[in-house]
């Protein structure tokens, strides 16, 4: 049986606890000793493939939609100017087009196992769509809490799955915590961005990178960072690989944020131990626009222990990276390309010669098509009689 441990004070909780955060306010993390120190070659779902490194969950209702096992390819757009190996881990291939499906799948299994009748989350984007989709697949009553001023274009891709969508007037960070506090008494498992099982889902990204590199660990992993749950999970995965004796080291983790909303970067860059709320967040990278991330302090502790880094990017740098990435066939959302845009700044800080670097592309550009208005895109018009000359 697994346990839960506080990432801040170290207090332990039983695995069947309904708590998602410690009494000290910091997030909890799954703690258990794997039965095996190897990965399975059988099964298609992340639960089967990595069962020895995941909590003992069961998928008796066949809820997996094929999340995980996303492609990782060498980058061509940057090849001519790079003296290092640069890989793109494309998470937009997941069922609802973002990395969120990994964690949603495991949290749904956890919710079913613990007897919850309701499933939900606090989100306005990738996670909301993911939870709504998986909740519909299970046939659970699903509740999505969003901010009062969310535009209609963001609600429709969530509402199509049939959840109950509730607009809430109030502080978004407070809503996040209040949902976790009140959810159990209402029979709703709130699969929010840094709950323990969601972090467990994210760590499977590390396992796949390790296997796709021929059982090797990269030197750097660059992760677009919002709430902090994803980068915590990826670091945890590499840490467990090392603890199992499958590697002698872990990669340097690089947390990337948009300069218009960079609470983790601001705290790390100034040497603070805790994050501070960004008063007026503004960025085109909406998926990482979290002014007061719930795992912010945990990420700061992890980066300092790991020897990690933070970077922030300007809007024009994000747009440029989106164009360059499209040049090699990948259309990613602005938040998803920040891990690629960060390469230029990382090169200025650290010698990268012969380094092996992996950037996580967190979500598809199809989730945010209105961003195309920021690019100079056009099409030619001719008559059919002029086709031969035009060609």
């Amino acid at each position: 049986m697994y346990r839960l441990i506080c990432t801040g004070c170290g207090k332990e909780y039983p695995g069947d606890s309904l708590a998602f955060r410690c009494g000290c306010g910091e997030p909890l993390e799954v703690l258990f000793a794997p039965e095996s120190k190897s990965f399975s070659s059988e099964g298609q779902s992340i639960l089967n493939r990595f069962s020895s490194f995941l909590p003992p969950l069961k998928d008796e209702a066949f809820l997996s939609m094929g999340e995980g096992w996303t492609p990782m390819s060498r980058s061509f757009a940057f090849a001519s100017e790079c003296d290092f190996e640069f890989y793109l881990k494309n998470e937009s291939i997941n069922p609802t087009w973002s990395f969120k499906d990994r964690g949603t799948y495991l949290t749904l299994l956890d919710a079913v196992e613990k007897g919850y009748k309701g499933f939900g989350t606090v989100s306005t984007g990738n996670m909301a769509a993911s939870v709504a989709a998986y909740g519909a697949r299970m046939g659970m009553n699903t509740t999505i809490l969003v901010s009062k001023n969310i535009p209609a274009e963001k609600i429709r891709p969530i509402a199509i799955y049939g959840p109950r969508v509730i607009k809430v007037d109030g502080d978004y960070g407070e809503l996040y915590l209040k949902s976790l506090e009140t959810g159990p008494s209402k029979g709703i498992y709130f699969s929010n961005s840094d709950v323990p099982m969601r972090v467990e889902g994210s760590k499977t990204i590390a396992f796949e990178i390790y296997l796709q590199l021929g059982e090797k660990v990269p030197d750097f992993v660059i992760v677009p960072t919002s709430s902090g749950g994803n980068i915590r999970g990826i670091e945890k995965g590499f840490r467990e690989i090392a603890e199992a004796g499958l590697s002698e080291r872990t990669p340097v983790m690089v947390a990337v944020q948009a300069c218009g909303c960079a609470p983790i970067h601001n705290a790390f860059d100034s040497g603070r131990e805790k994050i501070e709320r960004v008063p007026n967040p503004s960025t085109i990278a909406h998926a990482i626009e979290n002014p007061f991330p719930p795992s912010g302090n945990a990420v700061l502790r992890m980066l300092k222990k790991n020897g990690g880094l933070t970077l922030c990017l300007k809007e024009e740098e994000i747009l440029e990276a989106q164009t360059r990435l499209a040049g090699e066939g990948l259309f990613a959302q602005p938040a998803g390309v920040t891990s690629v845009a960060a390469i230029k700044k990382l090169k200025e800080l650290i010698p990268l010669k012969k380094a092996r670097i992996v950037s996580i592309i967190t979500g598809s550009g199809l989730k945010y098509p209105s961003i195309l208005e920021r690019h100079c895109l056009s099409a030619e018009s001719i008559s059919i009689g002029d086709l031969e000359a035009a060609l």
Side-chain angles (χ1 to χ4, degrees), residues 159-180:
I160 188 63
Y161 298 107
R164 182 186 184 191
V165 181
I166 304 175
K167 295 181 180 181
V168 182
D169 186 10
D171 182 80
Y172 197 66
E174 183 181 350
L175 175 61
Y176 181 100
L177 297 176
K178 194 171 184 62
S179 68
L180 295 180

Side-chain angles (χ1 to χ4, degrees), residues 1-22:
M1 185 63 181
Y2 66 91
R3 294 166 291 158
L4 298 172
I5 186 170
C6 177
T7 57
C9 69
K11 181 179 179 180
E12 292 191 13
Y13 294 76
D16 57 1
S17 170
L18 300 183
F20 289 123
R21 300 184 79 82
C22 180

Side-chain angles (χ1 to χ4, degrees), residues 78-363:
F78 295 84
S80 61
E81 61 189 61
C82 296
D83 52 2
F84 50 84
E85 294 181 29
F86 185 33
Y87 296 87
L88 305 171
K89 180 65 169 164
N90 185 9
E91 288 295 292
S92 72
I93 304 299
N94 280 295
T96 69
W97 305 350
S98 85
F99 76 95
K100 294 292 187 181
D101 293 338
R102 295 174 183 268
T104 300
Y105 172 51
L106 295 189
T107 56
L108 181 57
L109 296 181
D110 191 40
V112 172
E113 189 168 299
K114 289 179 177 176
Y116 281 89
K117 301 301 181 182
F119 196 48
T121 195
V122 176
S123 171
T124 58
N126 290 329
M127 189 163 58
S130 181
V131 167
Y134 279 79
R137 185 170 175 82
M138 181 59 195
M140 293 183 79
N141 294 322
T142 305
T143 303
I144 308 297
L145 304 180
V146 300
S147 56
K148 179 183 178 181
N149 298 319
I150 182 175
E153 66 177 16
K154 283 193 172 186
I155 289 183
R156 296 188 188 106
I158 301 168
I160 188 63
Y161 298 107
R164 182 186 184 191
V165 181
I166 304 175
K167 295 181 180 181
V168 182
D169 186 10
D171 182 80
Y172 197 66
E174 183 181 350
L175 175 61
Y176 181 100
L177 297 176
K178 194 171 184 62
S179 68
L180 295 180
E181 293 171 1
T182 60
S185 65
K186 301 299 181 180
I188 303 174
Y189 185 114
F190 275 97
S191 177
N192 291 355
S193 57
D194 69 343
V195 299
M197 286 301 169
R198 185 168 288 284
V199 172
E200 290 298 289
S202 285
K203 79 181 186 183
T204 63
I205 296 176
F207 299 156
E208 290 178 20
I209 292 172
Y210 171 77
L211 293 174
Q212 288 169 321
L213 289 178
E215 299 187 356
K216 295 180 181 178
V217 169
D219 298 295
F220 298 87
V221 178
I222 309 175
V223 187
T225 303
S226 179
S227 68
N230 194 34
I231 192 170
R232 281 182 50 218
I234 296 173
E235 188 275 339
K236 186 173 188 284
F238 281 115
R239 188 178 356 124
E240 292 181 359
I241 288 173
E243 290 171 351
L246 300 177
S247 173
E248 296 181 353
R249 62 181 180 83
T250 60
V252 173
M253 303 301 298
V254 183
V256 183
Q257 300 195 294
C259 293
C261 185
I264 295 174
H265 170 74
N266 293 342
F268 186 87
D269 195 48
S270 61
R272 296 197 304 268
E273 297 295 325
K274 294 186 176 182
I275 61 169
E276 295 180 0
R277 181 184 295 276
V278 174
N280 298 299
S282 177
T283 175
I284 55 173
H286 299 307
I288 55 173
E289 190 178 20
N290 191 325
F292 196 62
S295 269
N297 296 332
V299 172
L300 284 176
R301 291 190 294 270
M302 178 270 289
L303 291 174
K304 291 177 180 180
K305 186 175 181 179
N306 173 269
L309 302 166
T310 65
L311 297 169
C312 81
L313 298 163
K314 299 177 181 178
E315 305 291 89
E316 57 268 25
E317 293 173 315
I318 296 172
L319 288 170
E320 179 188 3
Q322 190 175 40
T323 298
R324 294 193 67 179
L325 196 58
E328 55 183 298
L330 294 178
F331 178 36
Q333 62 185 168
V337 305
T338 56
S339 60
V340 177
I343 282 292
K344 184 176 181 180
K345 287 191 173 181
L346 187 61
K347 286 174 63 179
E348 296 172 354
L349 292 174
I350 300 175
L352 300 178
K353 188 174 182 179
K354 296 184 179 181
R356 184 179 286 117
I357 303 170
V358 177
S359 283
I360 310 299
I361 311 300
T362 49

